[in-house]
Amino acid sequence: MMEKEKEGERNGPTSCDADVSVLPEECISNIVSLTSPKDACTACAVSPIFRAAAESNVVWNRFLPSDYQAIIARSSTSLDSLNFSSKKQLYLSLSDYPILIDDNKKSFFLDKLSGKKCYLLSARDLSIAAGHNNMHWLWFSLAESRFRKVAELHHVRLFDICGKMNTSMLSPKTNYVAYLVYKLRRNNHGFHRFPPMASVGTTGGVEDCKQIVCLSRPKREPRKHHPSLPKWRKDGWFESKLGEYFNEGGENDELQIRLMEVKAGTVKSGLIVEGIEIRPTKG
């Protein structure tokens, strides 16, 4: 019995072993489409037939959000201008080059590894206490911003900004994290001693997350980055985590992201707000 098994090992795979490469390309495409964009890119290195299958429109159309056409229709960027030769190119474009939607008040992009939907709500899309009073907030253009205007805090004692969006805009079964995207003037005032409080949750339910937010960096850089500290972004802005929210999907709730400090009564100034970004957590 053992001699037959050894003989089988010498002669190579038995009839029970499966060679996936002999499957039709369409079948392989369907299998790859059930994985992730990262796995599909890895599959390209397996063999030429895997590359052809992994780069097919069948695969990348499944990685794109089901409502991607409706989202693009809300942009000044027409679908024709995003008419790439393949769905993979469209996917990569939406991952690397965010598009402006909803009268250029929001930015939409895809998380490159997962294909989950991400948004950056501009300062104009936020509710800012005294935001229309130029004695308290100033609005101006900034070259490094993707939006026409950003908001700079000039002088307030009651600091309160809030972003809202329908949870149906987000990807289902996904844990999201919200960030304030901002800059601080060197002569900023009022945020170090009395940091603001952030809350993230649906307006119809209990707040899912509440935490103090550090906007100013410490004078001495820590050896390891702490998640509560501001992080420098490649686009030239800082981001500070406001909280997390798990989107179950199938519900029509309103997600509310708020940052406020109204108890200390101290003057605050020197904060430049680009917006609030909502994207999936990593891992």
Coordinates of all heavy atoms in Angstrom, one line a residue, residues 133-205:
N133 N -20.6 84.6 9.6 CA -20.2 85.9 10.1 C -18.7 86.0 9.9 O -17.9 85.3 10.6 CB -20.5 85.9 11.6 CG -20.3 87.3 12.2 OD1 -19.5 88.1 11.8 ND2 -21.2 87.6 13.2
N134 N -18.2 87.0 9.1 CA -16.8 87.1 8.8 C -16.0 87.7 9.9 O -14.8 87.9 9.8 CB -16.6 87.9 7.5 CG -17.2 89.3 7.6 OD1 -17.6 89.8 8.6 ND2 -17.4 89.9 6.4
M135 N -16.7 88.1 11.0 CA -16.0 88.5 12.2 C -15.4 87.2 13.0 O -14.5 87.3 13.8 CB -16.9 89.3 13.2 CG -17.3 90.6 12.6 SD -18.3 91.5 13.8 CE -17.2 91.7 15.2
H136 N -16.1 86.1 12.6 CA -15.7 84.8 13.3 C -15.0 83.8 12.4 O -14.0 83.1 12.8 CB -16.9 84.2 13.9 CG -17.6 85.1 14.9 ND1 -17.1 85.4 16.1 CD2 -18.9 85.7 14.9 CE1 -17.9 86.2 16.8 NE2 -19.0 86.4 16.1
W137 N -15.5 83.7 11.2 CA -14.9 82.8 10.2 C -14.6 83.5 8.9 O -15.4 84.3 8.4 CB -15.8 81.6 10.0 CG -15.9 80.6 11.1 CD1 -16.8 80.7 12.2 CD2 -15.2 79.4 11.3 NE1 -16.6 79.7 13.0 CE2 -15.7 78.8 12.5 CE3 -14.2 78.8 10.6 CZ2 -15.2 77.6 13.0 CZ3 -13.7 77.6 11.1 CH2 -14.2 77.0 12.3
L138 N -13.4 83.1 8.3 CA -13.1 83.7 7.0 C -13.1 82.6 6.0 O -12.6 81.5 6.3 CB -11.7 84.3 7.1 CG -11.5 85.4 8.2 CD1 -10.0 85.8 8.2 CD2 -12.4 86.6 7.9
W139 N -13.5 82.9 4.8 CA -13.6 81.9 3.7 C -12.7 82.4 2.6 O -12.8 83.5 2.1 CB -15.0 81.7 3.2 CG -15.9 81.2 4.2 CD1 -16.6 81.8 5.2 CD2 -16.3 79.8 4.4 NE1 -17.3 81.0 6.0 CE2 -17.2 79.7 5.5 CE3 -15.9 78.6 3.7 CZ2 -17.7 78.5 5.9 CZ3 -16.5 77.4 4.2 CH2 -17.3 77.4 5.3
F140 N -11.8 81.5 2.1 CA -10.8 81.9 1.1 C -10.4 80.6 0.3 O -10.6 79.5 0.8 CB -9.6 82.6 1.7 CG -8.8 81.8 2.6 CD1 -7.7 81.2 2.3 CD2 -9.2 81.7 4.0 CE1 -6.9 80.5 3.2 CE2 -8.5 80.9 4.9 CZ -7.3 80.3 4.5
S141 N -9.7 80.8 -0.8 CA -9.2 79.7 -1.6 C -7.8 79.4 -1.2 O -7.0 80.3 -0.8 CB -9.2 80.1 -3.1 OG -10.5 80.4 -3.6
L142 N -7.5 78.1 -1.3 CA -6.1 77.6 -0.9 C -5.7 76.6 -2.0 O -6.5 75.7 -2.3 CB -6.2 76.9 0.5 CG -4.9 76.9 1.3 CD1 -4.4 78.4 1.5 CD2 -5.2 76.3 2.7
A143 N -4.5 76.8 -2.5 CA -4.0 76.0 -3.6 C -4.0 74.5 -3.3 O -4.4 73.7 -4.2 CB -2.6 76.4 -4.0
E144 N -3.7 74.1 -2.1 CA -3.6 72.7 -1.8 C -5.0 72.0 -1.5 O -5.0 70.8 -1.1 CB -2.7 72.4 -0.6 CG -2.9 73.2 0.6 CD -2.2 74.5 0.7 OE1 -2.0 75.2 -0.4 OE2 -1.7 74.9 1.8
S145 N -6.1 72.8 -1.5 CA -7.4 72.2 -1.3 C -8.0 71.8 -2.6 O -7.9 72.5 -3.6 CB -8.3 73.3 -0.6 OG -9.6 72.7 -0.4
R146 N -8.8 70.7 -2.5 CA -9.5 70.2 -3.7 C -10.8 71.0 -3.9 O -11.5 70.9 -4.9 CB -9.8 68.7 -3.6 CG -10.8 68.3 -2.5 CD -10.8 66.8 -2.3 NE -9.6 66.3 -1.7 CZ -9.5 65.0 -1.4 NH1 -10.4 64.2 -1.6 NH2 -8.4 64.6 -0.8
F147 N -11.2 71.8 -2.9 CA -12.4 72.6 -2.9 C -12.1 74.1 -3.2 O -11.0 74.5 -3.0 CB -13.2 72.5 -1.6 CG -13.6 71.1 -1.2 CD1 -12.9 70.4 -0.1 CD2 -14.5 70.4 -2.0 CE1 -13.3 69.1 0.2 CE2 -14.8 69.0 -1.7 CZ -14.2 68.4 -0.6
R148 N -13.2 74.8 -3.6 CA -13.0 76.2 -4.0 C -12.7 77.1 -2.8 O -11.9 78.0 -2.9 CB -14.3 76.7 -4.7 CG -14.6 76.1 -6.0 CD -16.0 76.5 -6.5 NE -16.3 75.8 -7.8 CZ -17.5 75.8 -8.3 NH1 -18.5 76.5 -7.7 NH2 -17.8 75.2 -9.4
K149 N -13.3 76.7 -1.6 CA -13.1 77.6 -0.4 C -12.8 76.7 0.8 O -13.3 75.6 0.9 CB -14.3 78.4 -0.2 CG -14.7 79.4 -1.3 CD -13.8 80.6 -1.2 CE -14.3 81.6 -2.3 NZ -13.5 82.9 -2.3
V150 N -12.0 77.2 1.7 CA -11.8 76.6 3.0 C -12.2 77.6 4.0 O -12.4 78.8 3.7 CB -10.4 76.1 3.2 CG1 -10.0 75.0 2.2 CG2 -9.4 77.3 3.1
A151 N -12.4 77.2 5.3 CA -12.9 78.1 6.3 C -11.8 78.2 7.4 O -11.2 77.2 7.8 CB -14.1 77.5 7.0
E152 N -11.5 79.5 7.7 CA -10.5 79.7 8.8 C -11.2 80.4 10.0 O -11.9 81.4 9.9 CB -9.4 80.7 8.3 CG -8.4 80.9 9.4 CD -7.2 81.8 9.0 OE1 -7.1 82.1 7.8 OE2 -6.3 82.1 9.8
L153 N -11.0 79.8 11.1 CA -11.5 80.3 12.4 C -10.7 81.6 12.8 O -9.5 81.5 13.0 CB -11.4 79.2 13.5 CG -11.8 79.6 14.9 CD1 -13.3 80.2 14.9 CD2 -11.7 78.5 15.8
H154 N -11.4 82.7 12.9 CA -10.8 84.0 13.2 C -10.9 84.3 14.7 O -10.0 84.7 15.4 CB -11.5 85.1 12.4 CG -10.9 86.4 12.6 ND1 -9.5 86.7 12.5 CD2 -11.4 87.6 13.1 CE1 -9.3 88.0 12.8 NE2 -10.4 88.5 13.2
H155 N -12.2 84.1 15.2 CA -12.4 84.4 16.6 C -13.7 83.9 17.1 O -14.8 84.5 16.7 CB -12.3 86.0 16.8 CG -12.4 86.5 18.2 ND1 -13.6 86.5 18.9 CD2 -11.5 86.9 19.1 CE1 -13.5 87.0 20.1 NE2 -12.2 87.3 20.2
V156 N -13.7 82.9 17.9 CA -15.0 82.4 18.5 C -14.7 81.9 19.9 O -13.6 81.5 20.3 CB -15.7 81.3 17.7 CG1 -16.0 81.7 16.3 CG2 -14.8 80.0 17.7
R157 N -15.8 81.9 20.7 CA -15.7 81.3 22.1 C -16.5 80.0 22.1 O -16.1 79.1 22.8 CB -16.2 82.3 23.1 CG -15.4 83.5 23.3 CD -16.0 84.4 24.4 NE -15.2 85.6 24.5 CZ -14.1 85.8 25.3 NH1 -13.7 84.7 26.0 NH2 -13.5 86.9 25.4
L158 N -17.5 79.9 21.3 CA -18.4 78.7 21.1 C -18.0 78.0 19.8 O -18.4 78.5 18.8 CB -19.8 79.1 21.2 CG -20.3 79.9 22.4 CD1 -21.8 80.2 22.3 CD2 -20.0 79.1 23.7
F159 N -17.2 77.0 19.9 CA -16.7 76.3 18.7 C -17.6 75.1 18.5 O -17.7 74.2 19.3 CB -15.3 75.9 19.0 CG -14.7 75.0 17.9 CD1 -14.3 75.6 16.7 CD2 -14.5 73.6 18.1 CE1 -13.8 74.8 15.7 CE2 -14.0 72.8 17.1 CZ -13.6 73.4 15.8
D160 N -18.2 75.0 17.3 CA -19.2 73.9 17.0 C -19.3 73.7 15.5 O -19.7 74.6 14.8 CB -20.5 74.2 17.6 CG -21.5 73.1 17.5 OD1 -21.1 72.0 16.9 OD2 -22.7 73.2 17.9
I161 N -18.8 72.6 15.0 CA -18.9 72.3 13.6 C -19.5 70.9 13.5 O -19.2 70.0 14.3 CB -17.6 72.3 12.8 CG1 -16.6 71.3 13.3 CG2 -17.0 73.7 12.9 CD1 -15.3 71.3 12.5
C162 N -20.3 70.6 12.5 CA -21.1 69.4 12.4 C -21.2 69.0 10.9 O -21.6 69.8 10.1 CB -22.4 69.5 13.0 SG -23.4 68.1 13.0
G163 N -21.0 67.7 10.6 CA -21.2 67.2 9.3 C -22.3 66.1 9.3 O -22.3 65.3 10.2
K164 N -23.1 66.1 8.3 CA -24.2 65.1 8.2 C -24.2 64.4 6.9 O -24.0 65.1 5.9 CB -25.5 65.7 8.6 CG -25.7 66.2 10.0 CD -27.1 66.8 10.2 CE -27.2 67.4 11.6 NZ -28.6 67.9 11.8
M165 N -24.6 63.2 6.8 CA -24.8 62.5 5.6 C -25.6 61.2 5.8 O -25.6 60.7 6.9 CB -23.4 62.1 4.9 CG -22.6 61.0 5.7 SD -21.0 60.7 4.9 CE -21.5 60.2 3.3
N166 N -26.3 60.8 4.8 CA -27.2 59.7 4.9 C -26.3 58.4 4.8 O -25.4 58.3 4.0 CB -28.2 59.6 3.7 CG -29.4 58.7 4.0 OD1 -29.2 57.5 4.0 ND2 -30.5 59.3 4.2
T167 N -26.6 57.5 5.7 CA -25.8 56.2 5.8 C -26.0 55.4 4.6 O -25.1 54.5 4.3 CB -26.2 55.4 7.0 OG1 -27.7 55.1 7.0 CG2 -25.9 56.2 8.3
S168 N -27.0 55.6 3.7 CA -27.2 54.8 2.5 C -26.1 55.2 1.5 O -25.9 54.4 0.5 CB -28.5 55.1 1.9 OG -28.7 56.5 1.5
M169 N -25.4 56.3 1.7 CA -24.3 56.7 0.8 C -23.0 55.9 1.1 O -22.1 55.8 0.2 CB -24.0 58.2 1.0 CG -25.1 59.1 0.6 SD -24.7 60.8 1.0 CE -23.2 61.1 0.2
L170 N -23.0 55.2 2.2 CA -21.8 54.5 2.6 C -21.9 53.0 2.2 O -23.0 52.5 1.9 CB -21.6 54.5 4.1 CG -21.5 55.9 4.7 CD1 -21.5 55.9 6.2 CD2 -20.2 56.6 4.2
S171 N -20.8 52.3 2.2 CA -20.8 50.9 1.9 C -21.3 50.1 3.1 O -21.0 50.4 4.2 CB -19.3 50.4 1.6 OG -18.8 51.1 0.4
P172 N -22.1 49.1 2.8 CA -22.7 48.3 3.9 C -21.7 47.4 4.5 O -20.6 47.1 3.9 CB -23.8 47.5 3.2 CG -23.3 47.3 1.8 CD -22.6 48.6 1.5
K173 N -22.0 46.9 5.8 CA -21.1 46.0 6.5 C -19.7 46.5 6.6 O -18.7 45.8 6.4 CB -21.1 44.6 5.9 CG -22.5 44.0 5.6 CD -23.2 43.7 6.9 CE -24.5 43.0 6.7 NZ -25.3 42.7 8.0
T174 N -19.6 47.8 6.9 CA -18.2 48.4 6.8 C -18.0 49.3 8.1 O -18.9 50.1 8.4 CB -18.1 49.3 5.6 OG1 -18.3 48.5 4.4 CG2 -16.7 49.9 5.5
N175 N -16.9 49.2 8.7 CA -16.5 50.1 9.8 C -15.8 51.3 9.3 O -14.8 51.2 8.6 CB -15.7 49.3 10.8 CG -15.6 50.0 12.2 OD1 -16.7 50.2 12.8 ND2 -14.5 50.5 12.6
Y176 N -16.4 52.5 9.5 CA -15.8 53.7 9.0 C -15.2 54.5 10.2 O -15.6 54.4 11.3 CB -17.0 54.6 8.4 CG -17.3 54.2 7.0 CD1 -18.3 53.3 6.7 CD2 -16.6 54.8 5.9 CE1 -18.6 52.9 5.4 CE2 -16.9 54.4 4.6 CZ -17.9 53.5 4.3 OH -18.2 53.2 3.0
V177 N -14.2 55.3 9.8 CA -13.6 56.3 10.7 C -13.7 57.7 10.1 O -13.6 57.8 8.9 CB -12.2 55.9 11.0 CG1 -11.3 55.8 9.8 CG2 -11.5 56.8 12.1
A178 N -14.0 58.6 11.0 CA -14.1 60.0 10.5 C -12.9 60.8 11.0 O -12.5 60.7 12.1 CB -15.4 60.6 11.1
Y179 N -12.5 61.7 10.1 CA -11.3 62.6 10.4 C -11.6 64.0 10.1 O -12.3 64.3 9.1 CB -10.1 62.2 9.6 CG -9.5 60.8 9.9 CD1 -10.0 59.7 9.1 CD2 -8.6 60.6 10.8 CE1 -9.4 58.5 9.4 CE2 -8.0 59.3 11.1 CZ -8.5 58.3 10.3 OH -8.0 57.0 10.6
L180 N -11.1 64.9 11.0 CA -11.1 66.3 10.6 C -9.9 66.6 9.8 O -8.8 66.2 10.2 CB -11.1 67.2 11.9 CG -11.1 68.7 11.6 CD1 -12.4 69.2 11.1 CD2 -10.7 69.5 12.8
V181 N -10.0 67.2 8.6 CA -8.9 67.5 7.8 C -8.7 69.1 7.9 O -9.6 69.8 7.6 CB -9.2 67.2 6.3 CG1 -8.0 67.5 5.4 CG2 -9.5 65.7 6.2
Y182 N -7.5 69.5 8.3 CA -7.3 70.8 8.7 C -5.8 71.3 8.7 O -4.9 70.5 8.5 CB -7.9 71.0 10.1 CG -7.0 70.3 11.2 CD1 -6.1 71.0 12.0 CD2 -7.2 68.9 11.4 CE1 -5.4 70.3 12.9 CE2 -6.4 68.3 12.3 CZ -5.5 69.0 13.1 OH -4.7 68.3 14.0
K183 N -5.6 72.5 9.0 CA -4.3 73.1 9.3 C -4.4 74.0 10.5 O -5.5 74.5 10.8 CB -3.8 74.0 8.1 CG -3.4 73.2 6.8 CD -3.1 74.2 5.7 CE -2.7 73.5 4.4 NZ -1.4 72.8 4.5
L184 N -3.3 74.3 11.1 CA -3.3 75.3 12.2 C -2.3 76.4 11.9 O -1.1 76.1 11.5 CB -2.9 74.6 13.5 CG -4.0 73.8 14.3 CD1 -3.4 73.1 15.5 CD2 -5.2 74.7 14.7
R185 N -2.7 77.6 12.1 CA -1.7 78.7 12.1 C -0.8 78.6 13.2 O -1.1 78.0 14.3 CB -2.5 80.0 12.1 CG -3.5 80.3 11.0 CD -2.7 80.7 9.7 NE -3.7 81.2 8.7 CZ -3.4 81.4 7.5 NH1 -2.1 81.1 7.0 NH2 -4.3 81.8 6.6
R186 N 0.4 79.2 13.0 CA 1.4 79.1 14.1 C 0.9 79.8 15.4 O 1.2 79.5 16.5 CB 2.7 79.7 13.6 CG 3.5 78.8 12.7 CD 4.9 79.4 12.4 NE 5.6 78.5 11.5 CZ 6.9 78.8 11.1 NH1 7.5 79.9 11.5 NH2 7.5 77.9 10.3
N187 N 0.1 80.9 15.1 CA -0.4 81.7 16.3 C -1.8 81.3 16.7 O -2.6 82.1 17.1 CB -0.3 83.2 15.9 CG -1.2 83.5 14.7 OD1 -1.5 82.6 13.9 ND2 -1.5 84.8 14.5
N188 N -2.1 80.0 16.4 CA -3.4 79.5 16.8 C -3.6 79.6 18.3 O -2.6 79.6 19.1 CB -3.6 78.0 16.3 CG -2.8 77.0 17.1 OD1 -3.2 76.5 18.2 ND2 -1.6 76.7 16.6
H189 N -4.9 79.6 18.8 CA -5.1 79.9 20.2 C -6.4 79.1 20.6 O -7.3 79.0 19.9 CB -5.3 81.4 20.4 CG -5.5 81.7 21.9 ND1 -4.5 81.7 22.8 CD2 -6.6 82.0 22.6 CE1 -4.9 82.1 24.0 NE2 -6.2 82.2 23.9
G190 N -6.3 78.6 21.8 CA -7.5 78.0 22.5 C -7.7 76.5 22.3 O -8.7 76.0 22.9
F191 N -6.9 75.8 21.6 CA -7.1 74.4 21.4 C -6.3 73.4 22.2 O -6.6 72.3 22.3 CB -7.0 74.0 19.9 CG -8.0 74.7 19.0 CD1 -7.7 75.8 18.2 CD2 -9.3 74.1 19.0 CE1 -8.7 76.3 17.4 CE2 -10.3 74.7 18.2 CZ -10.0 75.8 17.4
H192 N -5.2 74.0 22.8 CA -4.3 73.1 23.5 C -4.8 72.8 24.9 O -4.8 71.7 25.3 CB -2.9 73.7 23.5 CG -1.9 72.9 24.2 ND1 -1.4 71.7 23.7 CD2 -1.2 73.0 25.4 CE1 -0.5 71.1 24.5 NE2 -0.4 71.9 25.6
R193 N -5.2 73.9 25.6 CA -5.6 73.7 27.0 C -7.0 73.1 27.1 O -7.3 72.3 28.0 CB -5.5 75.1 27.7 CG -5.7 74.9 29.2 CD -5.6 76.3 29.9 NE -5.9 76.2 31.3 CZ -6.0 77.3 32.1 NH1 -5.8 78.5 31.6 NH2 -6.3 77.2 33.4
F194 N -7.9 73.5 26.2 CA -9.2 73.0 26.2 C -9.6 72.4 24.8 O -10.2 73.0 24.0 CB -10.2 74.2 26.5 CG -10.0 74.8 27.8 CD1 -9.3 76.1 27.9 CD2 -10.4 74.2 29.0 CE1 -9.1 76.7 29.1 CE2 -10.2 74.8 30.2 CZ -9.5 76.1 30.3
P195 N -9.1 71.1 24.6 CA -9.4 70.5 23.3 C -10.9 70.2 23.2 O -11.6 70.0 24.1 CB -8.6 69.2 23.4 CG -8.5 68.9 24.9 CD -8.4 70.3 25.6
P196 N -11.3 70.2 21.9 CA -12.8 70.0 21.6 C -13.1 68.5 21.8 O -12.3 67.6 21.8 CB -12.9 70.4 20.2 CG -11.6 70.2 19.6 CD -10.6 70.5 20.7
M197 N -14.4 68.2 21.9 CA -15.0 66.9 22.0 C -15.7 66.5 20.7 O -16.4 67.3 20.1 CB -16.0 66.8 23.2 CG -16.7 65.5 23.3 SD -15.6 64.2 24.1 CE -15.6 64.8 25.8
A198 N -15.4 65.3 20.3 CA -16.0 64.8 19.0 C -17.1 63.7 19.4 O -16.9 63.0 20.3 CB -15.0 64.2 18.1
S199 N -18.1 63.7 18.6 CA -19.1 62.6 18.7 C -19.5 62.2 17.3 O -19.6 63.0 16.4 CB -20.3 63.1 19.5 OG -20.9 64.2 18.8
V200 N -19.7 60.8 17.1 CA -20.0 60.2 15.9 C -21.1 59.2 16.1 O -21.0 58.3 17.0 CB -18.8 59.5 15.2 CG1 -19.2 58.9 13.9 CG2 -17.6 60.5 15.0
G201 N -22.2 59.4 15.4 CA -23.3 58.4 15.5 C -24.5 58.9 14.7 O -24.5 59.9 14.0
T202 N -25.5 58.1 14.7 CA -26.7 58.4 13.9 C -27.6 59.3 14.7 O -27.7 59.2 15.9 CB -27.5 57.1 13.5 OG1 -27.8 56.4 14.7 CG2 -26.7 56.3 12.5
T203 N -28.3 60.2 14.0 CA -29.1 61.2 14.7 C -30.3 60.6 15.4 O -30.9 61.1 16.4 CB -29.6 62.3 13.7 OG1 -30.3 61.6 12.6 CG2 -28.5 63.1 13.2
G204 N -30.8 59.4 14.9 CA -31.9 58.8 15.5 C -31.6 57.8 16.6 O -32.5 57.2 17.2
G205 N -30.3 57.6 16.9 CA -30.0 56.7 17.9 C -28.9 57.2 18.9 O -28.7 58.4 19.0

